[in-house]
Each structure stands twice: as structure tokens, then as C-alpha cells.
Amino acid sequence: MTPRPSGMRGRLPVPQTWRPVGLDAAAIAGVVLFGIALASGRPDVALLGVPALLAAVFSRTRPPSEPLSVAEEPSVPEAAGSIESTIRVTGGEIALVRAAAAGHRQVSFVAAVPAGGERRLRLRLASVRTGLQETAIADVRGHDGIWENDLRSVGGSGRLVLPSSLRLGRVPVPRRLRGLTGLRPSRRFGDGSELRDVHPFAPGDRLKRIDWRTTARRSPNLDTLYVRRSFADAEAVVMLVVDSRDDVGPEVRSWRGFSEQRVDEPTSLDLARHAAASVARALVETGDRVGLVDLGLDARPLPPASGRRHLRRVLHGLALARPVGQPHPTVRPPQLPADALVYLFSTVLDQAAVQLTRTWRSLGHPVILIDTLPDVRPVTEPHLALAWRVVRMERQVRLDELTREGVPIVRWAGPARSDAAAKLDALARAAARQRDWR
């Protein structure tokens, strides 16, 4: 064992991180006041220097026994709208806190710390951004009487913000349904809730399907049994394809990193996450199967499934979607399940979205394009205005080509987002009428 120093016998050394504040000034002030009292013969002046000298003497011998401890609680996924974090502070009497974050104004406040306990400080950042975000950075300095601690900085950790969703009504599904279970009536015979017809009993019909009332009316002697035949219930398979190769905001200057994107304005990827989460929620609530493909990552797609737990996995995958490196000029079309309908969430800033749409349509996959480009603000710089004009014209040419080819396009930004639910409902009703005719 290491021997204790001679001056520390009887107790273990306590590591101190506190330092006195203003003790030299207090000692100098006390000495000056005593000198003035001796020179002028004023004992009342000497009494003014007594507190300063006593503070300088006793502060050297009685430092705070508990060191300052500042920590941030582990992060957990949370919903969009805010980014919250909790700071735990122990030690000292008060804590001077200064919180700051990109895009937010700096806030400073004083918090009391209970003796022998801890103080939990809750910091909340209002933001419409989703995905991987950073919490606020808190600079904490502890005070205990005339003692203060060094500045401690915590926060700035990554927080995964899950996208919110808009409650939609009916959304388009593929014409050909799959599976033996679900909530949608198909066009084939089987166990289901929708009646097709009443037919004489034939080999293979189940006895529980016998309609005794119809049999008694049509065949009183029970020469022929009649059964009720129904359409089989099935489920739709939908793939959500998110084009996360770029993430642009309403400000053109921020497209190449010349300025930071504002926290109160959603970017194209934020709109894509919100739109995909809304469609996924509408489909899961009707018992359909939903899969997810991220074009920005070379990873396996999330296979189609249903249920609340799978919806949580879809939201988690949407929150993790982000640009990786420079956008690729071409994207290899990912393989999709047969008879699946594709929702493509893209800004259509390059030809890749058009090529993917044409490839999937040639393979028999219907495609619905969700336009996620935000409403761009007017550009004042001449060179940026010219560049944006060229990009906008090229983008409009691509959208016109897809429209002529029969691809439905739904705008999910600005005032047009309020009409997106009605347009999806109209597309769903038109698809249902075509499926009934078939």
C-alpha cells in the first residue's frame, strides 16, 4: 500500500477541483482597510476589513468536500418537433449554466443544487428537423460560497428524431393483391368477408359454408345444397423508396454547404421522411405489408411486413436515411417483390429518378412519385439565380415526361401538401374501380 503523507494522517486525500474566487482581492482589501484604520485611528474602518480577512483565511481551510459532476443522460429516439436532453449536476450550491445550439439563441440561467443530491436540468430545442440531430451544448460552472469549479461542457450528442406522420385516408395499393390474409377483398375465391354468389354444393366446398336458408327456399326436399361463396381476403405489398442521395432546403445557398440550413424549415429529406411515414402508417393500419428502400445506402432493403412493430422499424429506417458522400449520377434499381406498388420519394433533381421509374414500370411495378423538393425562396445573387433557373427547367422537363407517361405525381411541400391526402385518396379510388373491373 502507498503510505499516506504526514499531513494527511487519519483521512484519505480528497481530489479537489474547486478553486477560491477573489481571495487575493479580499486579502488585499482587508490589509488596506487595516492600514487605513491604523493611520487614521479609526477602529470602525478596521471592522470593515475583518470579513474580508476571515473569508481569505477560512476559505483556504474549508473547501467543498464534494467535487462537481456534470453528465448528460443517454439518448433515446424521440418524435419530431423537439430535441430534448437532460443534464445531471451534483456538487456545489449553485450552477451557472449556458446552453447553446446551432440555429438557436444562447440561454444562460442559474440553478440551485440540493446539498448531497443532484439537480436535473431539462433542455429542449424546438425543431422541425428529423433524423440524426445534435442536442444542446451546456457549459456548467459550479459555485459553493467563494469557491468555484472549472467550466464543464456536456451535450452535443447525437439524437435520433423519428419522423411524424399525417393521418391519411385511402392510399393507392397495387391492383393485384397477395397473401391469404388481410383486410382487402381480392378477385379470387376463398375465405373472406365479401360475398360473391350462392352456388350449388360441389366437391371441395366446406360444410360450414352451406346456406340453410337458401337451401330450404330453393330445394325444400334437400335434393341440392347451396353454399355461400366469397372473395378471399388478401393484402397489398407496397415498397417505399426514399431518394436520400441529396438533402436540400428552401435556400439555394445551403445546397452546397455555403450556409447552414435553418431548424424551423424542413428540408427535402425531412419532407420525404414525413410523407413516407404517413403512407406507411395508412397502410399498416389497413393490414397491408410495407417495405423500405434507401437509395443513398448500399444496404439490403427492409423486407415488406405488417404490424405496429414493423412500422416502428420503418420509422427507424427513415430516420437513419441521410446523404452519404456525393450523389451518384446513376442508381442501380433495387430488386422489389413481385406485384408491389412503388412510392418513390425524390426531388427529381437528376435523371436517376426518371430512369428508376421507367425501369420499374417496365417490370410491371406501378410507381407513384412523391415530389419532396421544398418551395425555393427567390435567389438574389445573379450566378445562383441563373444556376437555379437551369436546374428548375431541367427538373420540370423530367416531371412533364413522367406525367405524359402516366406516372402520378403528388407534391408534398408548401401549400400543396394540404392537398396531398385528397389526391392520394382520388388515386386510390380510381385504382379500386379498375381492380373491380378486372
Side-chain angles (χ1 to χ4, degrees):
M1 297 180 61
T2 304
R4 299 174 182 173
S6 58
M8 301 291 294
R9 292 180 180 179
R11 62 186 181 93
L12 293 175
V14 179
Q16 298 293 337
T17 58
W18 300 88
R19 65 172 183 272
V21 179
L23 296 182
D24 297 337
I28 293 175
V31 172
V32 171
L33 290 175
F34 270 99
I36 295 175
L38 293 176
S40 60
R42 298 278 304 274
D44 54 342
V45 177
L47 293 177
L48 296 178
V50 172
L53 291 177
L54 291 178
V57 172
F58 286 102
S59 62
R60 298 290 183 180
T61 58
R62 302 184 61 183
S65 59
E66 184 178 4
L68 179 68
S69 176
V70 182
E72 183 184 23
E73 289 188 351
S75 61
V76 294
E78 54 186 282
S82 64
I83 305 172
E84 298 183 358
S85 59
T86 302
I87 308 298
R88 298 194 306 268
V89 182
T90 58
E93 294 180 348
I94 61 174
L96 304 181
V97 184
R98 180 179 61 203
H104 299 78
R105 69 174 184 273
Q106 182 176 293
V107 177
S108 301
F109 58 93
V110 179
V113 181
E118 67 175 11
R119 179 66 184 271
R120 300 168 65 90
L121 306 176
R122 185 179 178 184
L123 305 179
R124 180 178 181 272
L125 301 176
S127 176
V128 299
R129 305 293 305 279
T130 56
L132 188 59
Q133 304 294 325
E134 292 185 356
T135 59
I137 298 177
D139 298 329
V140 183
R141 187 187 298 274
H143 281 264
D144 192 340
I146 60 174
W147 294 82
E148 73 171 8
N149 204 286
D150 294 333
L151 191 67
R152 303 288 183 85
S153 296
V154 295
S157 59
R159 184 65 52 89
L160 191 63
V161 181
L162 301 180
S164 60
S165 59
L166 176 67
R167 181 168 292 276
L168 303 175
R170 302 178 61 179
V171 295
V173 295
R175 298 175 184 176
R176 297 181 60 182
L177 304 179
R178 302 179 59 188
L180 301 177
T181 60
L183 301 178
R184 299 182 184 274
S186 63
R187 295 295 93 188
R188 68 176 186 274
F189 295 151
D191 293 335
S193 57
E194 184 174 343
L195 176 65
R196 182 184 185 276
D197 58 9
V198 179
H199 193 270
F201 186 86
D205 291 336
R206 307 179 66 177
L207 295 179
K208 70 176 185 179
R209 285 289 183 179
I210 298 177
D211 189 344
W212 295 105
R213 182 174 301 178
T214 303
T215 300
R217 184 175 62 254
R218 295 186 179 183
S219 179
N221 298 328
L222 301 181
D223 297 333
T224 304
L225 299 179
Y226 289 88
V227 295
R228 298 170 62 90
R229 298 191 302 182
S230 59
F231 292 109
D233 291 337
E235 58 191 2
V237 178
V238 174
M239 294 298 296
L240 308 178
V241 182
V242 179
D243 188 1
S244 63
R245 296 172 301 121
D246 52 11
D247 188 14
V248 297
E251 184 66 41
V252 178
R253 289 182 56 86
S254 64
W255 288 14
R256 281 296 182 180
F258 293 108
S259 61
E260 294 184 355
Q261 297 173 350
R262 298 176 53 175
V263 298
D264 57 344
E265 293 179 343
T267 63
S268 61
L269 195 50
D270 294 327
L271 296 176
R273 295 191 187 103
H274 181 262
S278 303
V279 175
R281 177 183 176 185
L283 292 170
V284 169
E285 289 179 349
T286 55
D288 296 323
R289 301 170 60 191
V290 183
L292 177 63
V293 178
D294 185 3
L295 296 181
L297 298 177
D298 296 332
R300 295 182 58 184
L302 182 65
S306 59
R308 293 290 180 181
R309 182 175 299 179
H310 181 71
L311 178 60
R312 186 75 177 182
R313 288 195 292 265
V314 172
L315 297 180
H316 194 272
L318 291 173
L320 292 177
R322 59 185 179 88
V324 178
Q326 295 295 331
H328 302 289
T330 58
V331 178
R332 181 180 179 182
Q335 295 183 356
L336 304 179
D339 303 328
L341 184 143
V342 180
Y343 283 85
L344 177 58
F345 305 87
S346 176
T347 57
V348 201
L349 290 176
D350 57 7
Q351 194 66 19
V354 179
Q355 295 176 356
L356 287 174
T357 301
R358 291 172 177 172
T359 302
W360 284 324
R361 284 171 58 87
S362 65
L363 296 176
H365 297 287
V367 180
I368 297 178
L369 176 62
I370 308 297
D371 184 8
T372 59
L373 182 68
D375 291 339
V376 179
R377 288 195 293 268
V379 183
T380 56
E381 293 85 348
H383 62 286
L384 289 180
L386 179 60
W388 164 238
R389 182 180 178 183
V390 173
V391 172
R392 181 181 57 188
M393 294 175 63
E394 292 178 348
R395 176 178 178 274
Q396 189 60 43
V397 169
R398 301 187 191 102
L399 294 176
D400 294 340
E401 292 178 355
L402 294 177
T403 302
R404 288 193 298 267
E405 295 175 6
V407 178
I409 299 177
V410 180
R411 178 87 171 133
W412 202 279
R417 183 164 51 173
S418 59
D419 301 331
K423 190 168 184 179
L424 289 176
D425 183 77
L427 293 174
R429 295 180 183 277
R433 288 193 297 268
Q434 295 179 4
R435 186 167 57 249
D436 293 339
W437 279 105
R438 289 172 179 259

